[in-house]
């Protein structure tokens, strides 16, 4: 099957305020397959947000290429197709809601691409139902919780017809309840509607639920694999400034002091079972 | 928490509330013309009756609409007093030194005051019965024919939409900043104008920084959602004229006709 997102030798150089070149991405080659749930982790400044913006053609490669559903982001004719196919959800829940009424905001994307009124209404309703926000369709966004606002943002991408959603630290500003809401919503969309998910996060517990975890450092992919593979490499993660989940760390320390534990312990349940 | 209601929308489901916003904006303009046509006691009486009638079917509390006069009350009283005490004309009713009350002055003063009061009440009925969001749609639709002569109808409407969306957020933020600064011992009360303005700086600076940051984020988010200006955009809520709108227009034109007749038509008595 054709990958949803494919990058080859992707390099991105920013020119900062003092005219210095900042290499934010340095040769990224990766593929994301349809229906995958991929988590991207990495320390601050490792290039996660820059990478995410390439998936939506908000940034264009300095070198190398990005293909979204087979379409090259460098070709301007592909721009609107790409932005429909890959939706973006950003970190700050307030700063991505455009309209003063929930359903008007969800309609913003499809309105931009000229979806006819009747279909638009259906899309908005379906999208709000999918994120469980239909009851709030006529509410003012500023009265919603952070988690609810982010779900409205997710609905906005669904209404646009996105088959792939890229979320850039969507839970960073939310409370634990909101975090759970967003993760559950994305798991459900991934499971039931086969939405491909690229989920950037600095919460390792969220990355545990992904099919694949990509670890970034200094603009490069450091290593990747299943959550089990990635989070078992406790010391390597630590060197990159990332903290493995507590269970993985405990198992790691126990093993170091000679305990015989099976490999791949990353959740509390697995740790408890191994110690029982 | 701050309870922020934007504008002065008074939610309801009356005949007036349900009118198309374009109808309401245009009818308001027509009725304003009617007010300027009035020059007889009968004319003003007709206009007052009309305003009362509209308030009645809109389900708005009368006092609420009357209160919309308050911001300009001073000017209204001043207009009235000036016209009365500095009266022109020959039918002098009372004179003391430079104070001269004439029949003409009295009439003109009352007329001007009535005009202002009616204008305020009529336009406030528009904003009481139309949510700012719907009002924005109406303004955009009414302005869009003038795009050919360079009126940025869509851009204006988009600006209003974003303002409506972000004013509550920025107000919450201001509230938060004030509380934080007060907790650190800042004092926002007292002092002369200059001192007070200086005291506002610790609020304004973080507020502006955050507002620019929000604008930046929002621009990126809008672009990510395929925003490219008004060209080729559709709307979820299409505006549509219904039979009620026709009635409203007929009513507004009838008022203009009536007032024009009272002004220029054959005298009845
Ligand atoms: N607009 C910009 N101008 C200059 N440098 C930038 C800009 N945005 C990001 N950077 C730099 O690029 C690097 C990667 O940033 P970013 O992609 O935001 O990382 P992350 O999301 O992982 O924290 C950082 O060193 C950052 O300082
Ligand atoms: Mg980031």
């Amino acid at each position: 099957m054709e990958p949803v997102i494919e990058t080859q030798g992707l390099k991105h150089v920013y020119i900062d305020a003092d005219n210095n070149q900042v290499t934010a991405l340095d040769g990224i080659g990766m593929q994301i397959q349809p229906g995958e749930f991929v988590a991207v982790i990495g320390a601050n400044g490792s290039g996660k947000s820059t990478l995410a913006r390439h998936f939506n053609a908000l940034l264009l490669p300095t070198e190398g290429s990005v293909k979204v559903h087979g379409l090259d982001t460098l070709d301007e004719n592909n721009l609107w197709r790409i932005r429909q196919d890959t939706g973006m959800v950003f970190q700050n829940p307030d700063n991505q809601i455009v309209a003063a009424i929930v359903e008007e905001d969800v309609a913003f994307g499809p309105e931009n691409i000229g979806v006819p009124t009747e279909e638009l209404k259906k899309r908005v309703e379906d999208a709000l139902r999918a994120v469980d926000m239909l009851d709030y369709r006529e509410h003012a966004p500023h009265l919603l919780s952070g988690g609810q606002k982010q779900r409205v943002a997710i609905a906005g991408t669904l209404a646009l017809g996105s088959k792939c959603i890229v979320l850039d630290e969507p839970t960073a500003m939310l409370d634990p309840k909101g975090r759970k809401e967003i993760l559950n919503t994305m798991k459900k969309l991934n499971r039931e509607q086969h939405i491909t998910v690229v989920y950037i996060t600095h919460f390792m517990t969220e990355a545990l639920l992904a099919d694949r975890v990509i670890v970034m450092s200094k603009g490069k992919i450091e290593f990747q694999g299943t959550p089990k593979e990635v989070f078992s490499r406790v010391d390597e993660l630590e060197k990159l400034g990332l903290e493995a989940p507590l269970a993985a760390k405990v198992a790691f320390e126990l093993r170091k002091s000679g305990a015989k534990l099976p490999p791949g312990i990353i959740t509390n349940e697995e740790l408890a079972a191994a110690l029982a | 928490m701050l309870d922020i209601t934007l504008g002065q929308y008074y939610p309801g489901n009356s005949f007036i509330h349900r009118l198309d916003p374009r109808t309401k904006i245009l009818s308001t303009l027509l009725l304003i013309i009617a007010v300027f046509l009035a020059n007889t006691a009968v004319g003003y009486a007709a206009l007052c009756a009309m305003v009362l009638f509209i308030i009645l079917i809109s389900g708005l509390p009368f006092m609420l609409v009357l209160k919309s006069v308050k911001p300009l009350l001073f000017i209204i009283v001043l207009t009235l007093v000036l016209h009365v005490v500095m009266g022109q004309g020959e039918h002098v009713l009372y004179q003391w030194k430079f104070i001269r009350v004439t029949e003409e002055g009295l009439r003109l003063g009352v007329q001007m005051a009535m005009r202002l009061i009616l204008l305020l009440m009529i336009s406030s009925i528009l904003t009481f019965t139309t949510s700012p969001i719907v009002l924005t749609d109406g303004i955009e639709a009414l302005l869009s024919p003038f795009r050919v002569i360079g009126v940025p109808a869509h851009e204006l409407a988009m600006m209003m939409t974003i303002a409506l969306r972000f004013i509550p957020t920025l107000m919450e933020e201001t509230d938060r900043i004030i509380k934080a600064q007060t907790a650190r011992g800042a004092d926002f009360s007292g002092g002369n104008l200059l001192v007070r303005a200086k005291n506002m700086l610790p609020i304004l600076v973080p507020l502006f920084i955050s507002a620019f940051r929000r604008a930046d984020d929002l621009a990126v988010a809008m672009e990510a959602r395929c925003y490219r200006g008004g060209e080729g955009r559709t709307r979820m809520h299409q505006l549509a004229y219904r039979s009620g709108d026709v009635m409203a227009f007929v009513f507004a034109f009838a008022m203009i006709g009536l007032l024009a007749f009272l002004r220029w038509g054959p005298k009845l008595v």
Side-chain angles (χ1 to χ4, degrees):
Chain A
M1 231 190 307
E2 185 185 51
V4 177
I5 293 168
E6 182 175 20
T7 73
Q8 266 167 3
L10 169 62
K11 194 168 166 183
H12 190 94
V13 179
Y14 287 109
I15 309 291
D16 72 6
D18 307 323
N19 251 333
N20 298 318
Q21 298 202 341
V22 182
T23 306
L25 296 176
D26 193 5
I28 302 274
M30 65 184 293
Q31 289 193 347
I32 289 170
Q33 303 301 332
E36 251 194 311
F37 193 120
V38 178
V40 180
I41 60 175
N44 269 339
S46 58
K48 304 179 300 292
S49 297
T50 307
L51 184 64
R53 287 175 184 211
H54 276 277
F55 295 163
N56 192 264
L58 285 169
L59 291 176
L60 299 175
T62 312
E63 266 175 45
S65 72
V66 179
K67 286 200 177 113
V68 180
H69 292 99
L71 301 173
D72 196 321
T73 59
L74 278 171
D75 183 350
E76 216 178 295
N77 298 322
N78 294 335
L79 191 62
W80 306 111
R81 186 75 247 157
I82 288 171
R83 290 193 180 156
Q84 284 171 57
D85 288 342
T86 332
M88 286 279 275
V89 174
F90 298 90
Q91 178 173 349
N92 190 316
D94 273 315
N95 298 359
Q96 52 188 321
I97 296 181
V98 186
I101 292 187
V102 166
E103 64 172 0
E104 298 255 349
D105 185 75
V106 175
F108 179 74
E111 283 179 344
N112 287 336
I113 56 168
V115 174
T117 305
E118 279 318 306
E119 191 193 331
L120 224 162
K121 284 185 182 154
K122 187 173 158 355
R123 280 199 192 192
V124 169
E125 194 172 320
D126 289 348
L128 281 171
R129 189 177 300 115
V131 300
D132 202 16
M133 284 294 287
L134 199 53
D135 293 343
Y136 294 87
R137 63 188 304 167
E138 291 186 352
H139 279 232
H142 74 274
L143 299 174
L144 301 177
S145 73
Q148 290 173 325
K149 284 180 200 164
Q150 288 298 56
R151 282 190 280 152
V152 170
I154 294 169
T157 67
L158 292 174
L160 201 47
S162 303
K163 295 277 164 294
C164 170
I165 303 180
V166 179
L167 304 96
D168 187 359
E169 303 199 28
T171 53
M173 300 176 73
L174 306 185
D175 56 9
K177 181 168 168 289
R179 293 216 294 270
K180 205 176 271 169
E181 280 171 28
I182 300 309
L183 196 61
N184 289 343
T185 303
M186 290 322 295
K187 286 304 282 180
K188 187 177 134 211
L189 291 174
N190 177 248
R191 199 173 53 237
E192 292 174 6
Q193 302 197 18
H194 308 290
I195 302 280
T196 310
V197 180
V198 179
Y199 195 99
I200 298 172
T201 181
H202 68 251
F203 295 108
M204 300 305 137
T205 46
E206 296 185 343
L208 280 179
L209 299 171
D211 299 326
R212 174 157 61 114
V213 180
I214 296 178
V215 184
M216 287 189 64
S217 169
K218 302 202 180 81
K220 292 196 165 80
I221 293 180
E222 200 65 31
F223 51 92
Q224 56 177 306
T226 61
K228 263 192 201 325
E229 287 162 5
V230 165
F231 290 118
S232 303
R233 300 161 80 160
V234 174
D235 48 347
E236 284 166 83
L237 287 173
E238 218 134 86
K239 276 197 207 103
L240 300 175
L242 299 168
E243 221 176 318
L246 186 63
K249 281 203 315 200
V250 172
F252 181 78
E253 294 300 327
L254 286 174
R255 259 188 231 112
K256 252 201 328 207
S257 49
K260 284 212 166 31
L261 292 174
I265 293 174
I266 53 171
T267 67
N268 295 348
E269 291 74 25
E270 287 164 355
L271 181 63
L275 291 176
Chain B
M1 215 22 255
L2 288 169
D3 174 31
I4 307 150
T5 45
L6 264 182
Q8 44 180 1
Y9 181 51
Y10 187 87
N13 196 26
S14 72
F15 174 80
I16 306 283
H17 281 87
R18 287 196 311 266
L19 288 174
D20 187 285
R22 291 169 299 179
T23 307
K24 280 190 267 191
I25 296 169
L26 291 177
S27 309
T28 303
L29 293 178
L30 290 175
L31 294 183
I32 286 173
I33 294 174
V35 169
F36 279 106
L37 286 178
N39 66 341
T40 58
V42 183
Y44 281 103
L47 286 169
C48 289
M50 172 201 80
V51 167
L52 284 175
F53 172 68
I54 298 175
I55 293 176
L56 201 71
I57 55 172
S58 68
L60 299 170
F62 178 74
M63 286 314 289
L64 185 75
V65 183
L66 195 63
K67 268 198 201 122
S68 61
V69 173
K70 223 168 106 186
L72 286 189
L73 195 60
F74 175 73
I75 292 183
I76 293 169
V77 173
L78 192 73
T79 313
L80 184 64
V81 170
L82 281 183
H83 274 107
V84 169
V85 299
M86 318 266 260
Q88 310 286 310
E90 43 234 55
H91 299 90
V92 181
L93 302 174
Y94 175 81
Q95 178 140 27
W96 179 74
K97 298 206 174 145
F98 60 88
I99 295 181
R100 208 168 105 100
V101 180
T102 64
E103 202 183 308
E104 289 86 348
L106 197 64
R107 176 169 292 173
L108 202 62
V110 172
Q111 200 167 356
M112 293 300 268
M114 282 300 293
R115 236 177 226 178
L116 281 171
I117 293 172
L118 284 167
L119 289 179
L120 284 170
M121 287 177 81
I122 289 171
S123 44
S124 74
I125 292 173
L126 170 68
T127 49
F128 276 130
T129 59
T130 322
S131 84
I133 294 154
V134 176
L135 205 54
T136 304
D137 284 348
I139 293 171
E140 177 173 13
L142 288 175
L143 285 182
S144 56
F146 300 103
R147 266 202 309 248
V148 285
I149 58 161
V151 176
H154 168 75
E155 287 74 7
L156 283 173
M158 200 66 221
M159 273 166 55
M160 280 165 64
T161 303
I162 292 172
L164 289 172
R165 157 72 188 89
F166 279 94
I167 286 169
T169 306
L170 290 174
M171 280 171 72
E172 279 171 20
E173 188 153 28
T174 314
D175 194 46
R176 206 160 47 231
I177 296 172
I178 290 178
K179 280 192 182 125
Q181 304 283 18
T182 315
R184 285 184 210 153
D187 180 15
F188 298 111
S189 58
N192 61 31
L193 209 61
L194 204 67
V195 173
R196 288 227 303 264
K198 228 176 98 197
N199 285 344
M200 290 303 279
L201 273 182
I203 300 171
L204 288 179
V205 171
L207 192 65
F208 268 90
I209 292 174
S210 134
F212 280 115
R213 146 113 253 148
R214 287 182 194 282
D216 241 14
D217 283 0
L218 188 69
V220 173
M222 285 169 70
E223 212 185 321
R225 289 165 74 184
C226 295
Y227 182 67
R228 50 190 146 167
E231 215 58 51
R233 244 181 144 245
T234 46
R235 297 308 311 269
M236 178 169 61
H237 292 301
Q238 219 104 53
L239 297 178
Y241 289 118
R242 283 176 255 278
S243 55
D245 296 292
V246 179
M247 279 162 67
F249 276 120
V250 170
F251 178 81
F253 276 112
M255 281 312 291
I256 288 198
L258 175 66
L259 271 300
F261 180 82
L262 289 173
R263 187 182 182 115
W264 291 302
K267 293 284 165 283
L268 293 177
V269 205

